[in-house]
Amino acid sequence: MLRKKFIAASSVSALALALSGCVGAGNIPSASTPITQSEAQMGAEAHPQLLAEFGGAMTGSQAQYVEQVGKNIAVHSGLGNARESFTVSLLNSPVNNAFAIPGGYIYTTRQLVALMNNEAELAGVLGHEVGHVAARHSQRRQAAAQQNSLLGAAGAILSGILLGNSGVGQQISQGILQGSQLLTLKFSRSQELEADGLGIRYLNQAGYDPRAMASVLQSLALQNALDARFQGRGNASIPEWASTHPDPASRVQSALATAQASGAAGGVTNRDTFLTRIDGITYGDDPSQGVVEGRQFIHPELRLAFTAPQGFLMVNGSDAVTINGQSGQAQFTMAPYSGNLDSYVTSVFSRLSQQQQIRPQSIQKTTVNGLPAAYGSARVNSGNGQVDVTVFAYQFANDRAYHFLAITPAGGTSSFNEMFGSMRRIDAQAAANVIPRVIDVVTVGSGDTINSLASRMAYSDNRVERFRVLNGLTSNEGISAGQKVKLVVRGR
């Protein structure tokens, strides 16, 4: 989602907290206190920054539908004037995410909505986030989080995994992950238990099938497992530093048990209505923000492309693309450029740490696929030993440059060499060939099969598996004539 002009990463409030954790009963608080003026002001200040970080708020009928469902479920929170107090935004983001901040600001991405299969699932996810607001989870966590900015929390993620808890590790990590869509804190386990319990309660009160919370988590678990296989990872669960939904598979049975314990029977799902309303929604990356196609990142507007290392997870953020693997992490982004690559590389290093200066041992000049380039590395002591920090920059115009910032265990920079050498310009034809994928809702005909419908998916591989996950179908479930299903096709 790299933008055409540089926008400095903002230090968004640490109260931006993501949907994550485990489902369970928990102690469900009674929420009846209206949103206060101070809470509303807190949310209003962070809201525009979060919209910018996650691709902006979508408009039109799909966004209006999500807002309507969110406000309807918020009414059951017990908060005074809930319908008027809550702001529900559909974000133009290709990651599966939903989160909330104080003041009644609720967010879900279009990608997570596209993974859902009925309105009850949408209400369940939004209800979970309403539960966080109603239970004042942000305020209860604020004391523990007040020393960390949103960026600092991301820094702690990397420092805990690779760098230990050293100060320099945290500072480097902030530089690596700032601007990515991974920059959200998680609630504590007990708070997640409360929010899921509240979400299921709201589903019951609104007349929805309370089992929808479990089914949407099941879809998310299946998607995670599929992504893991595509990316060459043996472990189906995405590392916690690469997902705001750690291990949804572990939550499914707990959510189902909680729904059954509620004593509610039946309830509506509004499946056909939901599928009709989301028909045509963008699926995956928006070409105007750059797209991830397997191991390739292609930005048709910036006319550039590169290839990530085999087995690495690539996430397209608002101001950066993050590349994460077991042998290192990297970020592709941009910074102000005055025409001198040596100065550019030095400036990137200088912004890495406020506690100690990190300088490259030397800066080397080279050419990569016709692009003037420069790179430098620095070895840094950390809590878990030494690490190498590398900046590799490319000039695309006299006033425009981009760079990779990578961190690896000492001596491991070569794991990114292929990626550094893959940066290239693309021509107008290659840019024009980048066409967005969209959701196409179709009705199953009498002669249709899973295989025949999956063959229409806009992918070159694993079409049946993708079709099943998209439609929440396990390996044993089939389809029947007259049923509505989702396909991913190229937009027109």
Side-chain angles (χ1 to χ4, degrees), residues 12-51:
V12 187
S13 165
L15 302 179
L17 300 163
L19 170 67
S20 62
C22 301
V23 174
N27 296 319
I28 309 303
S30 175
S32 57
T33 305
I35 292 172
T36 66
Q37 183 175 354
S38 62
E39 289 172 339
Q41 181 178 354
M42 190 183 304
E45 290 175 355
H47 178 61
Q49 299 177 62
L50 285 168
L51 291 182

